[in-house]
Amino acid sequence: MTPKEKYRQICREAGATGLVLLLLIIMWCVLGFGLSGSDTLIFGLPLWAVAGTVGIWLLAIFLTFILVKFIFKDMALSQPFDKNYIEKETKE
């Protein structure tokens, strides 16, 4: 993998992780505040509290699995020093 390809992959992974974080924050607000009017209790706790904690925790695990399975790639971030490669990159 060339350094440019590695950089693009790193940016792709960071962007996808940011989107997952944004989705988790939105879902936390929806589940926490959206269910606050419900009188349903689970183990003596209001539904919004369970959904806003355990539900988000489970969603985060699922989305992390999706990121690891489909977005992230295993790649070496270190590269041996090659003077010819550096000279070639600076000319482009």
Side-chain angles (χ1 to χ4, degrees), residues 2-3 6 16-17 20-21 30-32 38 43-44 53 64 67 86 91:
T2 68
K6 287 181 184 180
T17 304
V20 165
L21 175 62
V30 168
L31 292 174
S38 175
F43 300 116
T53 53
T64 302
L67 282 175
I86 293 173
K91 290 178 184 177

Side-chain angles (χ1 to χ4, degrees), residues 5-13 71 73 75:
E5 290 171 336
K6 287 181 184 180
Y7 179 74
R8 286 185 186 131
Q9 179 61 28
I10 290 169
C11 289
R12 181 177 177 222
E13 291 175 6
I71 304 295
K73 289 185 180 177
M75 60 182 167

